[in-house]
């Protein structure tokens, strides 16, 4: 059996990234501390059963009046208490140091304090992964790569259902949710091709949501980026709409990024023209912020979700349709309300 298992490998127990290695260490220390209690108890159960078995005719001492032992009380309570203190301290420190939202520092192996993180915007879809590299103007489907010893800052969201992003050799699992953004910081320290996956059931194509993660030397990574940037495929809104259609076992693909605001609009649920972005729905103290529509095709003045500062009458996306707004210029979709009409609009928003 041991000979058979000798050929197996586990990226969880033998990771190539420092964050995952520290998580493995926490798992190992926690297991060892628990075994300090579990193993003696298991041995004691067997020893007591043999020692005091009914068929034993030895001179085992039997004291029916026994009711207390200070030494046993100390052993029974002190040992677990010490273990709990150790586990508590370990959990407290590791929870803060390995917080996925915490940027990496010089304590992380291979990372320089002034190193610029590689930003990767991750979108879980039905049933595929979309990776956007805004710093390099590229995007990929079901393929992820990063240079060695450079911190990686993942920003993650989902299109429809909750999912979970997991590259065992890189870091821990992190959830993705529609309309919300989670973050994960990690680093890869050794070259190779590793497995990435969805670790949360999300429907019929869940089992095919797997992708390779490439840990590359810096020169190889830039070559990979150049190849993706030179791709004939361009990820724009129309291509994204095609990717939105549910598909299973999607092959890896590379794109030149044709829309830098795509991830923002996916996150804020405003990819389609006329949709109001979720972050734009938030208002500041004056009520003037948050009336802009999405980054799709801009609606005309008076249309859905038009900006207060650029449209006369607001549409459904603006929230107060046609309320005493300055009329829009028929020849221009960007006529701006001014004077008393604009002042009246702001006063109305403050009251509501």
């Amino acid at each position: 059996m041991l000979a058979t298992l000798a050929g197996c490998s586990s990226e969880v127990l033998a990771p190539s990234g420092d964050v995952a290695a520290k998580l493995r260490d926490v798992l190992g220390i926690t297991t060892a501390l628990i075994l300090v209690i579990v193993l003696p108890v298991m041995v004691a159960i067997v020893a007591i059963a043999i020692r005091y078995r009914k068929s034993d005719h030895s001179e085992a001492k039997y004291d029916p009046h026994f009711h207390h032992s200070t030494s046993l009380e100390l052993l029974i309570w002190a040992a677990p208490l010490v273990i709990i203190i150790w586990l508590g301290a370990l959990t407290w420190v590791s929870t803060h140091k390995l917080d996925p939202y915490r940027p990496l520092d010089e304590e992380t192996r291979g990372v320089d304090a002034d190193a610029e993180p590689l930003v990767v915007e991750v979108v879980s879809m039905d049933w595929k992964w979309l990776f956007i590299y805004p710093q390099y103007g590229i995007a990929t489907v079901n393929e992820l790569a990063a240079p060695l010893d450079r911190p990686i800052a993942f920003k993650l969201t989902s299109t429809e259902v909750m999912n979970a992003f997991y590259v065992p050799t890189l870091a821990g699992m992190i959830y993705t949710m529609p309309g919300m953004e989670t973050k994960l910081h990690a680093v890869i320290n050794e070259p190779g091709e590793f497995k990435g996956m969805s670790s949360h059931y999300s429907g019929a194509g869940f089992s095919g949501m797997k992708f390779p993660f490439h840990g590359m030397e810096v020169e190889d990574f830039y070559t990979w980026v150049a190849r993706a940037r030179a791709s004939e495929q361009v990820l724009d809104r129309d291509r994204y709409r095609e990717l939105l259609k549910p598909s299973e076992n999607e092959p890896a693909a590379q794109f030149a990024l044709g829309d830098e605001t795509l991830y923002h609009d996916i996150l804020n649920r405003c990819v389609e023209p006329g949709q109001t972005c979720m972050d734009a729905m938030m208002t500041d103290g004056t009520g003037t912020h948050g009336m802009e529509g999405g980054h799709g095709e801009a609606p005309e003045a008076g249309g859905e979700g038009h900006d207060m500062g650029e449209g006369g009458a607001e549409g459904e996306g603006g929230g107060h349709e046609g309320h005493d707004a300055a009329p829009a210029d028929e020849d221009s979709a960007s006529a701006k309300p001014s004077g008393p009409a604009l002042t009246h609009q702001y006063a109305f928003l403050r009251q509501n």
Side-chain angles (χ1 to χ4, degrees), residues 201-282:
Y201 182 75
S202 58
F206 156 76
S207 61
M209 289 188 69
K210 299 176 181 177
F211 59 90
F213 169 64
H214 306 284
M216 298 178 170
E217 298 290 349
V218 176
E219 295 80 7
D220 295 335
F221 174 73
Y222 285 131
T223 301
W224 180 82
V225 168
R227 185 169 63 250
R229 190 179 292 164
S231 172
E232 296 180 357
Q233 299 189 81
V234 177
L235 182 63
D236 53 16
R237 305 253 164 175
D238 292 335
R239 187 68 179 90
Y240 171 73
R241 292 186 185 99
E242 294 179 14
L243 289 175
L244 269 179
K245 299 175 183 178
S247 61
E248 300 181 26
N249 301 309
E250 189 79 15
Q254 297 178 334
F255 303 86
L257 184 60
D259 190 339
E260 295 181 354
T261 63
L262 182 59
Y263 174 78
H264 168 274
D265 293 353
I266 295 172
L267 170 63
N268 289 282
R269 318 291 286 175
C270 56
V271 172
E272 298 300 328
Q275 292 179 323
T276 302
C277 294
M278 290 174 58
D279 61 346
M281 294 179 185
M282 307 301 291

Side-chain angles (χ1 to χ4, degrees), residues 334-347:
S334 61
K336 297 180 180 179
S338 59
L342 183 58
T343 303
H344 186 73
Q345 282 181 338
Y346 289 166

Side-chain angles (χ1 to χ4, degrees), residues 319-337:
H320 305 289
E321 184 172 348
H323 183 83
D324 293 339
D329 188 347
E330 295 180 358
D331 299 327
S332 173
S334 61
K336 297 180 180 179

Side-chain angles (χ1 to χ4, degrees), residues 116-235:
E116 180 187 9
L118 171 68
V119 177
V120 182
E121 297 167 340
V122 182
V123 183
S124 62
M125 311 176 74
D126 291 339
W127 286 276
K128 62 192 80 73
W129 292 96
L130 172 63
F131 303 105
I132 299 174
Y133 292 76
Q135 295 159 307
Y136 298 100
I138 65 170
T140 64
V141 169
N142 285 345
E143 184 180 21
L144 181 63
L148 301 183
D149 298 333
R150 181 176 176 181
I152 312 170
F154 292 101
K155 300 179 180 180
L156 307 100
T157 190
S158 180
T159 55
E160 296 297 334
V161 299
M162 182 175 176
N163 220 303
F165 172 81
Y166 188 33
V167 181
T169 197
L170 197 60
M173 178 186 70
I174 191 79
Y175 284 111
T176 65
M177 292 163 281
M180 299 179 67
E181 181 180 79
T182 52
K183 296 181 180 181
L184 176 68
H185 291 85
V187 66
I188 184 70
N189 301 112
E190 299 174 10
E193 180 176 312
F194 310 96
K195 60 183 179 182
M197 68 191 80
S198 167
S199 56
H200 186 93
Y201 182 75
S202 58
F206 156 76
S207 61
M209 289 188 69
K210 299 176 181 177
F211 59 90
F213 169 64
H214 306 284
M216 298 178 170
E217 298 290 349
V218 176
E219 295 80 7
D220 295 335
F221 174 73
Y222 285 131
T223 301
W224 180 82
V225 168
R227 185 169 63 250
R229 190 179 292 164
S231 172
E232 296 180 357
Q233 299 189 81
V234 177
L235 182 63

